[in-house]
Amino acid sequence: MESKAVTQEKTTFREVYVFDMEILQNIFIQNMREKAEDKMLFGMPFLLCEKDNEINSFASLVLDENNEIGFKIYDDGSLTNEDRLAFNEYIKNFLKKKRSANFNNAMQLKQSTEHFIHYLNF
């Protein structure tokens, strides 16, 4: 009797750590080839998505044209629609619980992002 091995890809979400930054920068650069000069678009990464222990996307706090806090998802091209929807829902639930200044104060987020971009030496 022949048996088939079934592999199921496992998707997880977690907060971003400093040691993730090189991978996140690479994903960002893939997404921003035309506008790489606007490094503020990188924002403040706060959550990421892993599939089978490989980071394939991240969510970053950004300011929109009205100076309001929002988020943007950057991915490496392998994020499925199903995973994008799940990640989006996870992000929204995560944001409801956050009370720190970067999540609630546009000026604080702007200053933090500027310092962070400088630290990364983008």
Side-chain angles (χ1 to χ4, degrees), residues 1-5:
M1 179 176 211
E2 187 177 319
S3 129
K4 292 184 181 180

Side-chain angles (χ1 to χ4, degrees), residues 1-42:
M1 179 176 211
E2 187 177 319
S3 129
K4 292 184 181 180
V6 177
T7 60
Q8 185 173 357
E9 296 176 334
K10 184 177 179 185
T11 301
T12 57
F13 311 114
R14 68 168 173 82
E15 290 188 61
V16 170
Y17 300 114
V18 172
F19 58 81
D20 299 319
M21 285 306 119
E22 184 176 354
I23 295 167
L24 301 187
Q25 283 179 292
N26 290 337
I27 292 172
F28 174 75
I29 290 167
Q30 286 175 3
N31 281 264
M32 303 307 293
R33 288 216 163 105
E34 298 154 8
K35 296 182 180 180
E37 70 278 354
D38 192 357
K39 292 164 179 58
M40 285 298 288
L41 292 173
F42 186 69

Side-chain angles (χ1 to χ4, degrees), residues 2 5-6 45 48 51 61-62 72 77 85 92 94 96-97 99 105 108-109 120-121:
E2 187 177 319
V6 177
L48 58 77
K51 191 163 226 168
L61 290 174
V62 294
K72 177 147 178 61
L85 289 172
K92 288 177 182 176
F94 181 87
K96 288 177 187 174
K97 300 173 189 171
R99 302 285 181 244
N105 181 311
Q108 176 66 40
L109 176 59
L120 292 176
N121 196 19

Side-chain angles (χ1 to χ4, degrees), residues 70-86:
F71 68 89
K72 177 147 178 61
I73 296 174
Y74 296 100
D75 72 272
D76 67 2
S78 69
L79 189 66
T80 66
N81 285 337
E82 182 180 316
D83 287 339
R84 181 176 292 279
L85 289 172

